mmCIF file with all atom_site columns, all heavy atoms in Angstrom:
data_model
loop_
_atom_site.group_PDB
_atom_site.id
_atom_site.type_symbol
_atom_site.label_atom_id
_atom_site.label_alt_id
_atom_site.label_comp_id
_atom_site.label_asym_id
_atom_site.label_entity_id
_atom_site.label_seq_id
_atom_site.pdbx_PDB_ins_code
_atom_site.Cartn_x
_atom_site.Cartn_y
_atom_site.Cartn_z
_atom_site.occupancy
_atom_site.B_iso_or_equiv
_atom_site.pdbx_formal_charge
_atom_site.auth_seq_id
_atom_site.auth_comp_id
_atom_site.auth_asym_id
_atom_site.auth_atom_id
_atom_site.pdbx_PDB_model_num
ATOM 1   N N   . PRO B 1 59 ? -2.932 9.944   11.121 1.00 98.00 ? 1323 PRO B N   1
ATOM 2   C CA  . PRO B 1 59 ? -2.882 9.853   12.584 1.00 98.00 ? 1323 PRO B CA  1
ATOM 3   C C   . PRO B 1 59 ? -1.460 9.589   13.091 1.00 98.00 ? 1323 PRO B C   1
ATOM 4   O O   . PRO B 1 59 ? -0.593 9.143   12.346 1.00 98.00 ? 1323 PRO B O   1
ATOM 5   C CB  . PRO B 1 59 ? -3.753 8.628   12.868 1.00 98.00 ? 1323 PRO B CB  1
ATOM 6   C CG  . PRO B 1 59 ? -3.515 7.742   11.685 1.00 98.00 ? 1323 PRO B CG  1
ATOM 7   C CD  . PRO B 1 59 ? -3.377 8.673   10.507 1.00 98.00 ? 1323 PRO B CD  1
ATOM 8   N N   . GLU B 1 60 ? -1.258 9.860   14.361 1.00 98.00 ? 1324 GLU B N   1
ATOM 9   C CA  . GLU B 1 60 ? -0.123 9.286   15.098 1.00 98.00 ? 1324 GLU B CA  1
ATOM 10  C C   . GLU B 1 60 ? -0.720 8.122   15.853 1.00 98.00 ? 1324 GLU B C   1
ATOM 11  O O   . GLU B 1 60 ? -1.715 8.306   16.556 1.00 98.00 ? 1324 GLU B O   1
ATOM 12  C CB  . GLU B 1 60 ? 0.414  10.278  16.136 1.00 98.00 ? 1324 GLU B CB  1
ATOM 13  C CG  . GLU B 1 60 ? 0.939  11.541  15.549 1.00 98.00 ? 1324 GLU B CG  1
ATOM 14  C CD  . GLU B 1 60 ? 1.285  12.557  16.641 1.00 98.00 ? 1324 GLU B CD  1
ATOM 15  O OE1 . GLU B 1 60 ? 1.742  12.160  17.729 1.00 98.00 ? 1324 GLU B OE1 1
ATOM 16  O OE2 . GLU B 1 60 ? 1.074  13.747  16.391 1.00 98.00 ? 1324 GLU B OE2 1
ATOM 17  N N   . TRP B 1 61 ? -0.132 6.945   15.717 1.00 98.00 ? 1325 TRP B N   1
ATOM 18  C CA  . TRP B 1 61 ? -0.757 5.831   16.407 1.00 98.00 ? 1325 TRP B CA  1
ATOM 19  C C   . TRP B 1 61 ? 0.231  4.776   16.848 1.00 98.00 ? 1325 TRP B C   1
ATOM 20  O O   . TRP B 1 61 ? 1.295  4.601   16.271 1.00 98.00 ? 1325 TRP B O   1
ATOM 21  C CB  . TRP B 1 61 ? -1.884 5.228   15.590 1.00 98.00 ? 1325 TRP B CB  1
ATOM 22  C CG  . TRP B 1 61 ? -1.635 4.900   14.146 1.00 98.00 ? 1325 TRP B CG  1
ATOM 23  C CD1 . TRP B 1 61 ? -0.456 4.996   13.464 1.00 98.00 ? 1325 TRP B CD1 1
ATOM 24  C CD2 . TRP B 1 61 ? -2.615 4.464   13.200 1.00 98.00 ? 1325 TRP B CD2 1
ATOM 25  N NE1 . TRP B 1 61 ? -0.648 4.618   12.178 1.00 98.00 ? 1325 TRP B NE1 1
ATOM 26  C CE2 . TRP B 1 61 ? -1.955 4.300   11.971 1.00 98.00 ? 1325 TRP B CE2 1
ATOM 27  C CE3 . TRP B 1 61 ? -3.975 4.197   13.290 1.00 98.00 ? 1325 TRP B CE3 1
ATOM 28  C CZ2 . TRP B 1 61 ? -2.624 3.870   10.822 1.00 98.00 ? 1325 TRP B CZ2 1
ATOM 29  C CZ3 . TRP B 1 61 ? -4.636 3.770   12.158 1.00 98.00 ? 1325 TRP B CZ3 1
ATOM 30  C CH2 . TRP B 1 61 ? -3.963 3.614   10.946 1.00 98.00 ? 1325 TRP B CH2 1
ATOM 31  N N   . PHE B 1 62 ? -0.201 4.092   17.915 1.00 98.00 ? 1326 PHE B N   1
ATOM 32  C CA  . PHE B 1 62 ? 0.595  3.037   18.529 1.00 98.00 ? 1326 PHE B CA  1
ATOM 33  C C   . PHE B 1 62 ? -0.279 1.791   18.580 1.00 98.00 ? 1326 PHE B C   1
ATOM 34  O O   . PHE B 1 62 ? -1.466 1.871   18.882 1.00 98.00 ? 1326 PHE B O   1
ATOM 35  C CB  . PHE B 1 62 ? 0.992  3.444   19.954 1.00 98.00 ? 1326 PHE B CB  1
ATOM 36  C CG  . PHE B 1 62 ? 1.654  2.346   20.725 1.00 98.00 ? 1326 PHE B CG  1
ATOM 37  C CD1 . PHE B 1 62 ? 3.014  2.096   20.576 1.00 98.00 ? 1326 PHE B CD1 1
ATOM 38  C CD2 . PHE B 1 62 ? 0.923  1.547   21.597 1.00 98.00 ? 1326 PHE B CD2 1
ATOM 39  C CE1 . PHE B 1 62 ? 3.627  1.067   21.280 1.00 98.00 ? 1326 PHE B CE1 1
ATOM 40  C CE2 . PHE B 1 62 ? 1.535  0.517   22.304 1.00 98.00 ? 1326 PHE B CE2 1
ATOM 41  C CZ  . PHE B 1 62 ? 2.892  0.283   22.136 1.00 98.00 ? 1326 PHE B CZ  1
ATOM 42  N N   . ASN B 1 63 ? 0.313  0.661   18.283 1.00 98.00 ? 1327 ASN B N   1
ATOM 43  C CA  . ASN B 1 63 ? -0.408 -0.616  18.372 1.00 98.00 ? 1327 ASN B CA  1
ATOM 44  C C   . ASN B 1 63 ? 0.454  -1.657  19.034 1.00 98.00 ? 1327 ASN B C   1
ATOM 45  O O   . ASN B 1 63 ? 1.646  -1.766  18.772 1.00 98.00 ? 1327 ASN B O   1
ATOM 46  C CB  . ASN B 1 63 ? -0.799 -1.098  16.969 1.00 98.00 ? 1327 ASN B CB  1
ATOM 47  C CG  . ASN B 1 63 ? -1.127 -2.587  16.904 1.00 98.00 ? 1327 ASN B CG  1
ATOM 48  O OD1 . ASN B 1 63 ? -0.393 -3.361  16.283 1.00 98.00 ? 1327 ASN B OD1 1
ATOM 49  N ND2 . ASN B 1 63 ? -2.193 -3.018  17.550 1.00 98.00 ? 1327 ASN B ND2 1
ATOM 50  N N   . VAL B 1 64 ? -0.137 -2.414  19.915 1.00 98.00 ? 1328 VAL B N   1
ATOM 51  C CA  . VAL B 1 64 ? 0.459  -3.664  20.366 1.00 98.00 ? 1328 VAL B CA  1
ATOM 52  C C   . VAL B 1 64 ? -0.686 -4.674  20.534 1.00 98.00 ? 1328 VAL B C   1
ATOM 53  O O   . VAL B 1 64 ? -1.677 -4.406  21.210 1.00 98.00 ? 1328 VAL B O   1
ATOM 54  C CB  . VAL B 1 64 ? 1.302  -3.507  21.654 1.00 98.00 ? 1328 VAL B CB  1
ATOM 55  C CG1 . VAL B 1 64 ? 0.496  -2.935  22.803 1.00 98.00 ? 1328 VAL B CG1 1
ATOM 56  C CG2 . VAL B 1 64 ? 1.925  -4.848  22.034 1.00 98.00 ? 1328 VAL B CG2 1
ATOM 57  N N   . TYR B 1 65 ? -0.558 -5.767  19.826 1.00 98.00 ? 1329 TYR B N   1
ATOM 58  C CA  . TYR B 1 65 ? -1.575 -6.833  19.795 1.00 98.00 ? 1329 TYR B CA  1
ATOM 59  C C   . TYR B 1 65 ? -2.976 -6.268  19.546 1.00 98.00 ? 1329 TYR B C   1
ATOM 60  O O   . TYR B 1 65 ? -3.232 -5.797  18.439 1.00 98.00 ? 1329 TYR B O   1
ATOM 61  C CB  . TYR B 1 65 ? -1.484 -7.702  21.066 1.00 98.00 ? 1329 TYR B CB  1
ATOM 62  C CG  . TYR B 1 65 ? -2.267 -8.983  20.895 1.00 98.00 ? 1329 TYR B CG  1
ATOM 63  C CD1 . TYR B 1 65 ? -1.998 -9.844  19.827 1.00 98.00 ? 1329 TYR B CD1 1
ATOM 64  C CD2 . TYR B 1 65 ? -3.309 -9.320  21.756 1.00 98.00 ? 1329 TYR B CD2 1
ATOM 65  C CE1 . TYR B 1 65 ? -2.754 -10.998 19.626 1.00 98.00 ? 1329 TYR B CE1 1
ATOM 66  C CE2 . TYR B 1 65 ? -4.056 -10.476 21.571 1.00 98.00 ? 1329 TYR B CE2 1
ATOM 67  C CZ  . TYR B 1 65 ? -3.776 -11.307 20.505 1.00 98.00 ? 1329 TYR B CZ  1
ATOM 68  O OH  . TYR B 1 65 ? -4.530 -12.443 20.307 1.00 98.00 ? 1329 TYR B OH  1
ATOM 69  N N   . ASN B 1 66 ? -3.846 -6.297  20.558 1.00 97.00 ? 1330 ASN B N   1
ATOM 70  C CA  . ASN B 1 66 ? -5.239 -5.888  20.316 1.00 97.00 ? 1330 ASN B CA  1
ATOM 71  C C   . ASN B 1 66 ? -5.520 -4.439  20.712 1.00 97.00 ? 1330 ASN B C   1
ATOM 72  O O   . ASN B 1 66 ? -6.664 -4.002  20.696 1.00 97.00 ? 1330 ASN B O   1
ATOM 73  C CB  . ASN B 1 66 ? -6.201 -6.825  21.064 1.00 97.00 ? 1330 ASN B CB  1
ATOM 74  C CG  . ASN B 1 66 ? -6.060 -6.712  22.573 1.00 97.00 ? 1330 ASN B CG  1
ATOM 75  O OD1 . ASN B 1 66 ? -5.030 -6.265  23.066 1.00 97.00 ? 1330 ASN B OD1 1
ATOM 76  N ND2 . ASN B 1 66 ? -7.071 -7.114  23.302 1.00 97.00 ? 1330 ASN B ND2 1
ATOM 77  N N   . ARG B 1 67 ? -4.461 -3.700  21.092 1.00 98.00 ? 1331 ARG B N   1
ATOM 78  C CA  . ARG B 1 67 ? -4.649 -2.315  21.536 1.00 98.00 ? 1331 ARG B CA  1
ATOM 79  C C   . ARG B 1 67 ? -4.175 -1.328  20.468 1.00 98.00 ? 1331 ARG B C   1
ATOM 80  O O   . ARG B 1 67 ? -3.119 -1.513  19.873 1.00 98.00 ? 1331 ARG B O   1
ATOM 81  C CB  . ARG B 1 67 ? -3.871 -2.047  22.826 1.00 98.00 ? 1331 ARG B CB  1
ATOM 82  C CG  . ARG B 1 67 ? -4.458 -2.754  24.040 1.00 98.00 ? 1331 ARG B CG  1
ATOM 83  C CD  . ARG B 1 67 ? -3.894 -2.206  25.339 1.00 98.00 ? 1331 ARG B CD  1
ATOM 84  N NE  . ARG B 1 67 ? -2.459 -2.458  25.484 1.00 98.00 ? 1331 ARG B NE  1
ATOM 85  C CZ  . ARG B 1 67 ? -1.524 -1.527  25.540 1.00 98.00 ? 1331 ARG B CZ  1
ATOM 86  N NH1 . ARG B 1 67 ? -1.844 -0.238  25.457 1.00 98.00 ? 1331 ARG B NH1 1
ATOM 87  N NH2 . ARG B 1 67 ? -0.255 -1.862  25.676 1.00 98.00 ? 1331 ARG B NH2 1
ATOM 88  N N   . VAL B 1 68 ? -4.954 -0.262  20.296 1.00 98.00 ? 1332 VAL B N   1
ATOM 89  C CA  . VAL B 1 68 ? -4.579 0.810   19.375 1.00 98.00 ? 1332 VAL B CA  1
ATOM 90  C C   . VAL B 1 68 ? -4.804 2.140   20.088 1.00 98.00 ? 1332 VAL B C   1
ATOM 91  O O   . VAL B 1 68 ? -5.877 2.363   20.660 1.00 98.00 ? 1332 VAL B O   1
ATOM 92  C CB  . VAL B 1 68 ? -5.421 0.775   18.079 1.00 98.00 ? 1332 VAL B CB  1
ATOM 93  C CG1 . VAL B 1 68 ? -5.001 1.897   17.137 1.00 98.00 ? 1332 VAL B CG1 1
ATOM 94  C CG2 . VAL B 1 68 ? -5.290 -0.576  17.372 1.00 98.00 ? 1332 VAL B CG2 1
ATOM 95  N N   . GLU B 1 69 ? -3.780 3.007   20.080 1.00 98.00 ? 1333 GLU B N   1
ATOM 96  C CA  . GLU B 1 69 ? -3.910 4.336   20.656 1.00 98.00 ? 1333 GLU B CA  1
ATOM 97  C C   . GLU B 1 69 ? -3.706 5.348   19.535 1.00 98.00 ? 1333 GLU B C   1
ATOM 98  O O   . GLU B 1 69 ? -2.656 5.351   18.895 1.00 98.00 ? 1333 GLU B O   1
ATOM 99  C CB  . GLU B 1 69 ? -2.855 4.557   21.742 1.00 98.00 ? 1333 GLU B CB  1
ATOM 100 C CG  . GLU B 1 69 ? -2.997 3.584   22.893 1.00 98.00 ? 1333 GLU B CG  1
ATOM 101 C CD  . GLU B 1 69 ? -1.841 3.672   23.894 1.00 98.00 ? 1333 GLU B CD  1
ATOM 102 O OE1 . GLU B 1 69 ? -1.037 4.628   23.774 1.00 98.00 ? 1333 GLU B OE1 1
ATOM 103 O OE2 . GLU B 1 69 ? -1.746 2.783   24.770 1.00 98.00 ? 1333 GLU B OE2 1
ATOM 104 N N   . ILE B 1 70 ? -4.697 6.173   19.300 1.00 98.00 ? 1334 ILE B N   1
ATOM 105 C CA  . ILE B 1 70 ? -4.632 7.130   18.196 1.00 98.00 ? 1334 ILE B CA  1
ATOM 106 C C   . ILE B 1 70 ? -4.598 8.554   18.736 1.00 98.00 ? 1334 ILE B C   1
ATOM 107 O O   . ILE B 1 70 ? -5.419 8.932   19.566 1.00 98.00 ? 1334 ILE B O   1
ATOM 108 C CB  . ILE B 1 70 ? -5.838 6.987   17.257 1.00 98.00 ? 1334 ILE B CB  1
ATOM 109 C CG1 . ILE B 1 70 ? -5.952 5.544   16.740 1.00 98.00 ? 1334 ILE B CG1 1
ATOM 110 C CG2 . ILE B 1 70 ? -5.734 7.976   16.097 1.00 98.00 ? 1334 ILE B CG2 1
ATOM 111 C CD1 . ILE B 1 70 ? -7.089 5.329   15.752 1.00 98.00 ? 1334 ILE B CD1 1
ATOM 112 N N   . THR B 1 71 ? -3.642 9.342   18.249 1.00 98.00 ? 1335 THR B N   1
ATOM 113 C CA  . THR B 1 71 ? -3.554 10.767  18.585 1.00 98.00 ? 1335 THR B CA  1
ATOM 114 C C   . THR B 1 71 ? -3.763 11.567  17.306 1.00 98.00 ? 1335 THR B C   1
ATOM 115 O O   . THR B 1 71 ? -3.157 11.270  16.280 1.00 98.00 ? 1335 THR B O   1
ATOM 116 C CB  . THR B 1 71 ? -2.179 11.105  19.182 1.00 98.00 ? 1335 THR B CB  1
ATOM 117 O OG1 . THR B 1 71 ? -1.981 10.303  20.354 1.00 98.00 ? 1335 THR B OG1 1
ATOM 118 C CG2 . THR B 1 71 ? -2.083 12.580  19.556 1.00 98.00 ? 1335 THR B CG2 1
ATOM 119 N N   . LEU B 1 72 ? -4.628 12.564  17.390 1.00 98.00 ? 1336 LEU B N   1
ATOM 120 C CA  . LEU B 1 72 ? -4.898 13.409  16.223 1.00 98.00 ? 1336 LEU B CA  1
ATOM 121 C C   . LEU B 1 72 ? -4.543 14.858  16.520 1.00 98.00 ? 1336 LEU B C   1
ATOM 122 O O   . LEU B 1 72 ? -4.898 15.410  17.564 1.00 98.00 ? 1336 LEU B O   1
ATOM 123 C CB  . LEU B 1 72 ? -6.379 13.325  15.844 1.00 98.00 ? 1336 LEU B CB  1
ATOM 124 C CG  . LEU B 1 72 ? -6.907 11.934  15.475 1.00 98.00 ? 1336 LEU B CG  1
ATOM 125 C CD1 . LEU B 1 72 ? -8.395 11.999  15.176 1.00 98.00 ? 1336 LEU B CD1 1
ATOM 126 C CD2 . LEU B 1 72 ? -6.140 11.351  14.293 1.00 98.00 ? 1336 LEU B CD2 1
ATOM 127 N N   . SER B 1 73 ? -3.819 15.453  15.587 1.00 98.00 ? 1337 SER B N   1
ATOM 128 C CA  . SER B 1 73 ? -3.471 16.872  15.654 1.00 98.00 ? 1337 SER B CA  1
ATOM 129 C C   . SER B 1 73 ? -3.035 17.248  14.242 1.00 98.00 ? 1337 SER B C   1
ATOM 130 O O   . SER B 1 73 ? -2.696 16.370  13.451 1.00 98.00 ? 1337 SER B O   1
ATOM 131 C CB  . SER B 1 73 ? -2.336 17.091  16.661 1.00 98.00 ? 1337 SER B CB  1
ATOM 132 O OG  . SER B 1 73 ? -2.112 18.471  16.848 1.00 98.00 ? 1337 SER B OG  1
ATOM 133 N N   . THR B 1 74 ? -3.052 18.529  13.931 1.00 97.00 ? 1338 THR B N   1
ATOM 134 C CA  . THR B 1 74 ? -2.686 18.944  12.579 1.00 97.00 ? 1338 THR B CA  1
ATOM 135 C C   . THR B 1 74 ? -1.328 19.634  12.601 1.00 97.00 ? 1338 THR B C   1
ATOM 136 O O   . THR B 1 74 ? -1.189 20.737  13.133 1.00 97.00 ? 1338 THR B O   1
ATOM 137 C CB  . THR B 1 74 ? -3.766 19.880  11.989 1.00 97.00 ? 1338 THR B CB  1
ATOM 138 O OG1 . THR B 1 74 ? -5.019 19.190  12.014 1.00 97.00 ? 1338 THR B OG1 1
ATOM 139 C CG2 . THR B 1 74 ? -3.422 20.273  10.558 1.00 97.00 ? 1338 THR B CG2 1
ATOM 140 N N   . HIS B 1 75 ? -0.337 18.947  12.055 1.00 94.00 ? 1339 HIS B N   1
ATOM 141 C CA  . HIS B 1 75 ? 1.034  19.432  12.095 1.00 94.00 ? 1339 HIS B CA  1
ATOM 142 C C   . HIS B 1 75 ? 1.143  20.849  11.539 1.00 94.00 ? 1339 HIS B C   1
ATOM 143 O O   . HIS B 1 75 ? 1.765  21.732  12.135 1.00 94.00 ? 1339 HIS B O   1
ATOM 144 C CB  . HIS B 1 75 ? 1.922  18.462  11.288 1.00 94.00 ? 1339 HIS B CB  1
ATOM 145 C CG  . HIS B 1 75 ? 3.375  18.750  11.386 1.00 94.00 ? 1339 HIS B CG  1
ATOM 146 N ND1 . HIS B 1 75 ? 4.052  19.440  10.406 1.00 94.00 ? 1339 HIS B ND1 1
ATOM 147 C CD2 . HIS B 1 75 ? 4.282  18.478  12.353 1.00 94.00 ? 1339 HIS B CD2 1
ATOM 148 C CE1 . HIS B 1 75 ? 5.323  19.553  10.759 1.00 94.00 ? 1339 HIS B CE1 1
ATOM 149 N NE2 . HIS B 1 75 ? 5.488  18.975  11.937 1.00 94.00 ? 1339 HIS B NE2 1
ATOM 150 N N   . GLU B 1 76 ? 0.507  21.036  10.386 1.00 93.00 ? 1340 GLU B N   1
ATOM 151 C CA  . GLU B 1 76 ? 0.584  22.321  9.679  1.00 93.00 ? 1340 GLU B CA  1
ATOM 152 C C   . GLU B 1 76 ? 0.044  23.486  10.521 1.00 93.00 ? 1340 GLU B C   1
ATOM 153 O O   . GLU B 1 76 ? 0.504  24.622  10.380 1.00 93.00 ? 1340 GLU B O   1
ATOM 154 C CB  . GLU B 1 76 ? -0.241 22.171  8.388  1.00 93.00 ? 1340 GLU B CB  1
ATOM 155 C CG  . GLU B 1 76 ? -0.304 23.364  7.491  1.00 93.00 ? 1340 GLU B CG  1
ATOM 156 C CD  . GLU B 1 76 ? -1.323 23.112  6.359  1.00 93.00 ? 1340 GLU B CD  1
ATOM 157 O OE1 . GLU B 1 76 ? -1.679 21.929  6.121  1.00 93.00 ? 1340 GLU B OE1 1
ATOM 158 O OE2 . GLU B 1 76 ? -1.758 24.089  5.744  1.00 93.00 ? 1340 GLU B OE2 1
ATOM 159 N N   . ALA B 1 77 ? -0.933 23.196  11.384 1.00 95.00 ? 1341 ALA B N   1
ATOM 160 C CA  . ALA B 1 77 ? -1.541 24.250  12.200 1.00 95.00 ? 1341 ALA B CA  1
ATOM 161 C C   . ALA B 1 77 ? -1.019 24.205  13.632 1.00 95.00 ? 1341 ALA B C   1
ATOM 162 O O   . ALA B 1 77 ? -1.410 25.031  14.462 1.00 95.00 ? 1341 ALA B O   1
ATOM 163 C CB  . ALA B 1 77 ? -3.057 24.089  12.207 1.00 95.00 ? 1341 ALA B CB  1
#
Side-chain angles (χ1 to χ4, degrees):
Chain B
E1324 298 172 35
W1325 49 5
F1326 172 83
N1327 161 247
V1328 58
Y1329 194 56
N1330 65 339
R1331 290 194 295 116
V1332 180
E1333 298 172 10
I1334 304 183
T1335 301
L1336 300 178
S1337 187
T1338 303
H1339 187 261
E1340 180 188 342

